[in-house]
Every structure is written in C-alpha cells, then in structure tokens.
Amino acid sequence: MKHFHIFLIFLAASAAAQPLHFGLRGGFAFQDVIDSRGNLRAASKNWTLGPAAELSLPFGFAAGADLLYRRLTYQDSRTNTANSWTVPLLVKYYLPGDGARYFVEAGPSFRSLGNLPRLEGGAAKGFALGTGVRFGAGLARFSLGLRWSRYGEGRSADVNAPAGALRTKENQLDLLFGLTF
C-alpha cells in the first residue's frame, strides 16, 4: 500500500509538470470539401482557422485538439455559402532533438457541415494523419505541418442520389500553421 501512495504522488507530480498549451491554428486546403459535379461548382477560398490546445506528455508524446472553421462556397444557379467545423483529436510524437522538433500525428477527426440543404454523403467521422515541424521561441511555439484527413464514404456511391445533390470529398489535405503559448 505504501508503494501505491508513492506511485500516486509520483504520477500527480509528473502530471502537474506537463504544460498545457493554447493558441491558434490556421492554414489552407489543397482542395475544396465540396465535390463539383453536374451544374454545381465549388468556389471556396479554402482557408481554415480556429483555436488549438495541446497537452505535453512524457517521452515525446502530446495530445492535442483543434476546432477548425472553414467557410464553404458553391455555385449552381446562384452563389451559396455553408460552414464547416472540423475537430481532430490527435496524438503526436515529437522526435528527439534540439531546436526544431519534427513530429508525426494521428487520430480521429470529426467534421460537421452546416447550411447544405442538398448534401449527399456528408460523412462526419474520419481519421487524420500528419507530419510537421515545431519551433520554440521563449513561450511561443510556431508549427508548420501537413495533415491528411480521410472521411467515410457516406452515400457518395449512391447511384439513386438526386442529380442536383452535393457530395463531399473523402480525402482532405491541409497545410497548417500554428502559434501556441
């Protein structure tokens, strides 16, 4: 029992020493979320922005989450707008080293698309995989990375879908910049 108490004290002390970082993450998508087909044309600006949090863990690991907003635009007979919210929950591993710290990240990603009345196959669950580099300058940390997200097929293969239905792309590749404190 004495060893268990020592273990709990050690665990609490190591957990308290792990810093929690908050900041902003933003960037650009290499493609639009909406798949252009028929008389529909995706016309989004492809930028994304939102808050980010990361908890440093022992042995080079970290756990992080982002809340990324993207404004979507598509055109049919008129221009329409919609909102996209993406929440990746990621585990990161930072390679050992001084100065620039390279990392890999992976975890589930959740996407919510709003204001799309004719949406077909708006898959909300997916998986994210990324890599990048983080630079530290005092309290500030700057990061640059590539993140690939894959979302389920939803109904995108449905041959009976209406001709004017919107379809989301299953793959998303983003170039992301981060600033955390």
Side-chain angles (χ1 to χ4, degrees):
M1 189 66 159
K2 182 180 179 181
H3 295 288
F4 182 70
H5 290 295
I6 292 172
F7 174 74
L8 286 179
I9 291 170
F10 175 74
L11 186 63
S14 65
Q18 308 308 319
L20 182 61
H21 303 280
F22 293 100
L24 286 175
R25 190 163 328 277
F28 303 93
F30 286 99
Q31 64 182 10
D32 204 304
V33 173
I34 299 171
D35 194 7
S36 297
R37 64 180 180 159
N39 63 344
L40 298 172
R41 188 172 71 82
S44 301
K45 299 294 185 212
N46 292 331
W47 58 267
T48 188
L49 181 68
E54 184 174 300
L55 175 65
S56 297
L57 300 171
F59 310 112
F61 286 95
D66 301 334
L67 178 60
L68 300 173
Y69 171 79
R70 178 175 286 135
R71 184 75 164 179
L72 305 176
T73 306
Y74 63 96
Q75 297 174 338
D76 48 12
S77 59
R78 61 174 212 233
T79 299
N80 304 284
T81 59
N83 302 314
S84 171
W85 290 95
T86 304
V87 181
L89 305 173
L90 303 169
V91 173
K92 292 183 180 183
Y93 176 71
Y94 288 94
L95 298 173
D98 295 329
R101 299 281 310 268
Y102 295 93
F103 65 86
V104 292
E105 60 186 6
S109 184
F110 305 94
R111 180 171 65 186
S112 172
L113 301 171
N115 304 340
L116 289 175
R118 299 180 334 196
L119 180 64
E120 167 206 338
K125 298 175 189 173
F127 185 77
L129 183 65
T131 186
V133 62
R134 181 188 75 193
F135 304 94
L139 294 176
R141 295 173 170 203
F142 305 96
S143 64
L144 171 67
L146 281 175
R147 184 181 296 158
W148 171 74
S149 301
R150 168 79 176 180
Y151 294 95
E153 291 183 22
R155 291 181 47 224
S156 60
D158 188 354
V159 294
N160 297 319
L166 294 172
R167 186 172 73 180
T168 58
K169 293 185 179 174
E170 297 169 359
N171 295 301
Q172 188 73 40
L173 183 63
D174 296 311
L175 174 64
L176 298 170
F177 307 93
L179 173 62
T180 56
F181 299 96

